[in-house]
Amino acid sequence: MKLSSTILVLTAAATSAMVLQQPAKTKVAPWTPASWRTKESTQIPVYPDQEALKATEERISRCAPLVFAGEVRTLQEQLSQACTGNGFVLFGGDCAESFSEFSVDHVRDTFRVILQMALILTYGGSQPVIKIGRMAGQFAKPRSSPTETIDGVTLPSYQGDNINREQPFTAEARQADPERMVQAYDQCAQTLNILRAFSVGGYANLNRLHQWTLEFVEQTPAGSRYRKLANKVEETLRFMSAVGIKLDTPELSSVDFYTAHECLLLPYEEAMTRKDSTSGKYYDTSAHLLWVGERTRQPGFAHFEFVRGLENPLGVKISDKATPEDVLEILDTFNPRNIPGRVTLITRMTAEGIRKSLPPMLKAVKDSGKHALWVCDPVHGNGFQAENGFKTRSFDAIRDELEAFFDVHREMGTHPGGIHLEMTGKDVTECLGGDNNEVTMDGERGLGTKYETHCDPRLNAMQSLELAFCVAEKMREVQGFPDLDFKL
């Protein structure tokens, strides 16, 4: 009873923290990894045991970095090329990682689908593809409400496995526990070990491109289309070998693979921030790239304050609620030196929102001479609750938003720089639709058949490949290339 009362008091405090009021503009104070603590915050959980939280932060601050400054700088260089039109970014991975779903197979299967998608995009778009996984850190999730009510009982919302537990629905499970940050760190370290092994240990070798196909995709139309493309690439590799070009180079036998997540749990992010010994700059070593979401990108607030001082490349989610002036302020604050690739603007607007709201943003940024890498997140604006109660997304709506993104950029003369998807290598049934073996409301491929997400619905492997072919066709259209000859 005492614990429940405490949580209800904390919940009330958290509710009031969700209401944002734009602070008055003041002179920008010097940045430190802890300067966010002087700002108003939202979406950060309240920890009842502050001493335990402090001890956990100190423990994590002594842990080894998960990524290294040199890797981050390499990503920055590649994003710079994409920002100026010579590259394309593919973000992919779970909506929210979980402790229970973690396994080597799960990491491998998502990785291999991303490899397949990247191959399709590279071949179709004739551009290098930068591969970034929503992995090894994508635990915490922003919530529209700090509380959840079930059967008349109100408790704090589930905010991700690194913060609290989703089940059982009890006061104890929903209490923010700092020890879960340590468990998340340990899982991130394992995930990165797996990804590094697959990236450079031979699994990503182009000679294995047929082996990347998942068994349940192999006999589908999407799998057949990928197989035709893979055969074409193999022919090219045989020709290259025949004329004396070596195929055992790092460019063909390994891949650069980076990680990213939403910068949400600031106590953890601060603890993972290190000063680079070679440059004296601060890097958040929890991921190569971090982004702030639509709910946490407000200037003058804690998350905005924290990321502005990092040397990591940054992403910012932009909805159709943002104005061109908002976008320019973000670029001014996060990229005062106007470095190409420093800021990735990730739109999440629906197809209608893209066609209406993106053009004035593109024009404002273009006219200002500021550098921004534009990426489309077509999933977050297209969620809805199905009639059977499941939270889902429409594959057709996702594809429509991607096509609108490319159409608008072509009309504005700007570079469509990438896509950002919540997807998995598993054969889940969480997003409705798909051109082949579609997910339906009910039946053998009904939503409830394999609905396994811990947060928002994900595209399955087949839907992801179908979208990759769609995007490849749009990339070719922008560049004036003929259609791909892998129709079924």
Side-chain angles (χ1 to χ4, degrees), residues 125-161:
S126 300
Q127 288 189 336
V129 174
I130 303 164
K131 294 161 279 293
I132 303 178
R134 292 173 51 106
M135 306 166 78
Q138 182 56 24
F139 289 99
K141 294 296 293 183
R143 312 307 299 189
S144 56
S145 171
T147 62
E148 181 181 4
T149 301
I150 298 179
D151 296 331
V153 178
T154 299
L155 295 173
S157 294
Y158 169 67
Q159 292 183 271
D161 272 10

Side-chain angles (χ1 to χ4, degrees), residues 142-394:
R143 312 307 299 189
S144 56
S145 171
T147 62
E148 181 181 4
T149 301
I150 298 179
D151 296 331
V153 178
T154 299
L155 295 173
S157 294
Y158 169 67
Q159 292 183 271
D161 272 10
N162 62 341
I163 296 173
N164 57 4
R165 287 183 288 156
E166 185 174 19
Q167 297 295 335
F169 187 68
T170 63
E172 182 181 6
R174 290 300 178 90
Q175 178 175 290
D177 179 3
E179 186 62 25
R180 298 183 75 81
M181 287 193 274
V182 178
Q183 190 174 349
Y185 171 88
D186 291 342
Q187 182 170 312
C188 290
Q190 293 183 64
T191 301
L192 279 160
N193 282 340
I194 296 166
L195 290 172
R196 288 187 170 113
F198 285 141
S199 297
V200 302
Y203 190 87
N205 193 308
L206 269 181
N207 289 309
R208 296 175 57 96
L209 76 177
H210 276 294
Q211 299 175 45
W212 298 342
T213 304
L214 292 156
E215 289 76 12
F216 63 85
V217 176
E218 176 68 29
Q219 302 304 320
T220 67
S224 298
R225 196 177 185 194
Y226 172 81
R227 192 162 52 250
K228 289 183 178 181
L229 182 147
N231 289 337
K232 189 76 170 181
V233 173
E234 281 190 332
E235 288 181 11
T236 303
L237 292 174
R238 288 196 293 271
F239 172 79
M240 292 168 62
S241 179
V243 298
I245 298 175
K246 293 184 177 180
L247 302 182
D248 58 353
T249 63
E251 291 79 9
L252 295 177
S253 61
S254 63
V255 297
D256 291 332
F257 193 87
Y258 303 99
T259 61
H261 62 255
E262 182 171 1
C263 181
L264 200 62
L265 187 56
L266 294 186
Y268 176 82
E269 303 298 347
E270 179 189 340
M272 288 300 298
T273 300
R274 310 281 193 272
K275 180 183 282 190
D276 177 38
S277 59
T278 60
S279 67
K281 305 291 187 180
Y282 283 98
Y283 290 82
D284 185 338
T285 63
S286 69
H288 299 99
L289 179 148
L290 296 105
W291 74 83
V292 286
E294 176 70 15
R295 297 186 180 103
T296 55
R297 64 167 177 77
Q298 293 80 11
F301 286 83
H303 292 85
F304 195 95
E305 170 65 19
F306 177 75
V307 299
R308 76 175 178 89
L310 299 175
E311 285 299 304
N312 305 63
L314 304 173
V316 184
K317 291 289 187 80
I318 302 293
S319 76
D320 52 2
K321 298 175 184 176
T323 66
E325 292 73 26
D326 291 336
V327 173
L328 294 177
E329 182 176 7
I330 287 168
L331 295 176
D332 282 337
T333 304
F334 291 167
N335 194 16
R337 291 179 290 166
N338 202 25
I339 300 171
R342 159 73 174 160
V343 177
T344 298
L345 298 176
I346 307 169
T347 61
R348 39 161 297 176
M349 300 185 180
T350 74
E352 181 181 358
I354 284 279
R355 296 188 186 279
K356 178 181 177 182
S357 300
L358 185 57
M361 294 181 188
L362 292 175
K363 183 178 187 305
V365 173
K366 187 176 182 180
D367 290 349
S368 72
K370 300 182 188 301
H371 290 294
L373 176 59
W374 294 93
V375 168
C376 179
D377 169 359
V379 297
H380 277 94
N382 290 301
F384 64 96
Q385 186 165 352
E387 58 192 40
N388 57 8
F390 285 99
K391 188 177 181 181
T392 188
R393 290 160 173 156
S394 162

